[in-house]
């Protein structure tokens, strides 16, 4: 049976079209929540406070070892201060969980969903995501580094975007040394 040029061309086109439409295999990796850590640091005129909050769940998405996405849920009920002890610590933690700050009783979780991931170098990425705190979603941009089965991210969060205005010099006058700065830092170490 003789194959014509037209038949061979159609066969090649069909094979090429099939290969071009095959879906890209995205690898979804579950974050080990117990081995991972989310640390926070907040600043005020007279100093700072720091602590941790636990991840409830998390996943990172990869395409051929390149980070392409991620989703995280933080358990706000686990918010603690690590720089104080005793009654001072309990007082600060209670205040942070109150309606003055994160309204944890009515908003027990916060979420982050990656919306764009851009490679900035070997193992380094600039990520834009949608952060939801107190039911309010705002975009945030931050840096992520991935090495093997570990990732590190650092970000600054403006709490006032999420209606956390207590002690903010941007909203209240004459606070003096009671002023709490609007931005706080998050440092996230993930294992997956």
């Amino acid at each position: 049976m003789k194959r014509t040029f037209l038949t061979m061309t159609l066969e090649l086109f069909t094979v090429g079209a099939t290969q071009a439409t095959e879906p890209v295999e995205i690898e979804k990796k579950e974050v080990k929540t117990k081995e991972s850590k989310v640390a926070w640091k907040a600043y005020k005129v007279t100093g700072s406070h720091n602590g941790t909050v636990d991840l409830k769940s998390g996943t990172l998405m990869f395409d051929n070892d390149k980070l392409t996405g991620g989703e995280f849920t933080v358990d706000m009920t686990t918010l603690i201060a690590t720089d104080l002890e005793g009654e001072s610590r309990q007082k600060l933690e209670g205040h942070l969980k109150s309606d003055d700050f994160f309204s944890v009783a009515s908003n027990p979780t916060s979420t982050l969903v990656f919306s764009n991931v851009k490679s900035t170098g070997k193992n380094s990425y600039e990520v834009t995501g949608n952060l939801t705190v107190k039911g309010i979603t705002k975009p945030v941009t931050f840096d992520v580094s991935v090495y093997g089965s570990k990732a590190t991210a650092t970000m600054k969060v403006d709490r006032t975007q999420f209606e956390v205005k207590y002690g903010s010099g941007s909203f209240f006058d004459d606070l003096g040394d009671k002023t709490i700065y609007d931005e706080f830092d998050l440092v996230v170490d993930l294992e997956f």
Side-chain angles (χ1 to χ4, degrees):
M1 176 175 182
K2 240 182 180 182
R3 292 170 55 198
T4 66
F5 177 75
L6 180 60
T7 305
M8 290 188 302
T9 304
L10 285 173
E11 287 172 354
L12 286 172
F13 176 76
T14 304
V15 168
T18 303
Q19 289 174 343
T21 59
E22 288 182 20
V24 175
E25 186 63 38
I26 300 295
E27 187 177 5
K28 188 175 182 180
K29 297 185 180 183
E30 295 292 324
V31 171
K32 298 175 183 175
T33 57
K34 298 293 183 206
E35 291 84 2
S36 299
K37 182 179 178 181
V38 179
W40 59 267
K41 187 166 188 176
Y43 305 90
K44 56 186 181 173
V45 170
T46 58
S48 63
H49 288 293
N50 55 60
T52 62
V53 63
D54 293 344
L55 276 177
K56 187 172 186 174
S57 64
T59 56
L60 290 170
M61 275 70 93
F62 292 88
D63 178 9
N64 290 325
D65 294 327
K66 297 283 185 196
L67 182 66
T68 60
E71 290 186 25
F72 301 90
T73 301
V74 172
D75 182 355
M76 295 299 290
T77 66
T78 65
L79 179 68
I80 62 167
T82 55
D83 64 317
L84 298 173
E85 293 180 5
E87 190 177 324
S88 296
R89 177 179 175 168
Q90 291 173 355
K91 186 176 176 183
L92 176 59
E93 290 173 359
H95 198 195
L96 291 174
K97 292 177 183 179
S98 77
D99 290 341
D100 281 345
F101 285 93
F102 295 104
S103 302
V104 171
S106 56
N107 298 281
T109 61
S110 292
T111 60
L112 174 65
V113 179
F114 292 8
S115 57
N116 186 45
V117 179
K118 182 175 87 175
S119 178
T120 56
K122 187 178 181 184
N123 304 320
S124 300
Y125 303 89
E126 180 183 85
V127 175
T128 301
N130 293 312
L131 178 62
T132 302
V133 177
K134 292 179 69 172
I136 300 167
T137 302
K138 297 288 183 180
V140 291
T141 300
F142 53 96
D143 296 320
V144 176
S145 298
V146 179
Y147 297 97
S149 61
K150 295 185 178 186
T152 301
T154 57
M155 73 172 76
K156 285 196 173 297
V157 178
D158 181 347
R159 64 190 177 95
T160 62
Q161 290 188 349
F162 303 94
E163 296 299 316
V164 181
K165 298 177 181 176
Y166 183 88
S168 170
S170 300
F171 293 90
F172 303 100
D173 295 327
D174 302 323
L175 291 172
D177 65 0
K178 303 271 191 239
T179 301
I180 302 168
Y181 297 119
D182 294 344
E183 287 189 329
F184 65 91
D185 295 329
L186 288 175
V187 177
V188 182
D189 293 308
L190 303 173
E191 289 191 31
F192 50 90

